[in-house]
Amino acid sequence: VDYFMSSFGLVLVSFSEASIIGYLFGSGKMRQYINGLSEFRIGAWWDFIIKVLTPIVLLYLIIAELVSRWQTPYDPAIGRSAEFIAGWMLLILIPIASVFFAKVSRAKEKAA
C-alpha cells in the first residue's frame, strides 16, 4: 500500500495541485499573493514552473511507473491479484470514499 500511495497517489495529488494552482486558481494570482507576504520575490518563471515544467515531470513519473508496473509485478512472490487488491484497488477506492464521506458530512451539516 505504501509503495502505491507514494508512487502513484502522491504524484497524482501533486499533479492535480500544480494543475489547479496553474490553471484554475491562476499562477499569477498565487505569485502576487506570495510576493505580497514574502521578502523573497518570485517572477514570471513561477508561472512556467507551475503550469508547464511541474506537470510534465510528474506526468513522466506516472507514465514511467505505469510502464514499470505493466512489465514486472511489484513483487513476483505475491502475484498480480494481490498487487491489484492491495495497490490499484486502494488507489481507486480512496478518492471514491473521500467524495462519499464529504457528501455525508455536508448532508449532516445541512440537517443540523
Side-chain angles (χ1 to χ4, degrees):
V1 173
D2 182 53
Y3 170 79
F4 279 85
M5 287 301 152
S6 61
S7 295
F8 294 103
L10 186 60
V11 178
L12 287 171
V13 167
S14 301
F15 178 83
S16 300
E17 286 180 353
S19 299
I20 289 168
I21 289 171
Y23 295 102
L24 293 180
F25 182 74
S27 58
K29 285 187 209 175
M30 182 66 80
R31 181 169 33 96
Q32 289 174 347
Y33 178 76
I34 292 169
N35 285 338
L37 296 176
S38 176
E39 294 177 14
F40 177 76
R41 313 276 301 163
I42 55 176
W45 54 269
W46 166 263
D47 299 336
F48 173 77
I49 289 174
I50 292 297
K51 287 183 172 182
V52 179
L53 185 62
T54 301
I56 287 173
V57 169
L58 293 172
L59 195 59
Y60 171 78
L61 290 173
I62 292 169
I63 291 170
E65 193 59 38
L66 283 171
V67 169
S68 176
R69 288 289 54 80
W70 186 264
Q71 292 173 346
T72 57
Y74 170 68
D75 184 358
I78 63 170
R80 291 282 187 179
S81 59
E83 178 181 335
F84 176 76
I85 292 169
W88 297 110
M89 187 61 77
L90 285 174
L91 282 175
I92 294 167
L93 290 178
I94 287 175
I96 293 170
S98 299
V99 169
F100 172 77
F101 288 123
K103 288 187 180 221
V104 167
S105 176
R106 286 187 193 138
K108 286 182 180 180
E109 287 176 6
K110 286 182 182 179

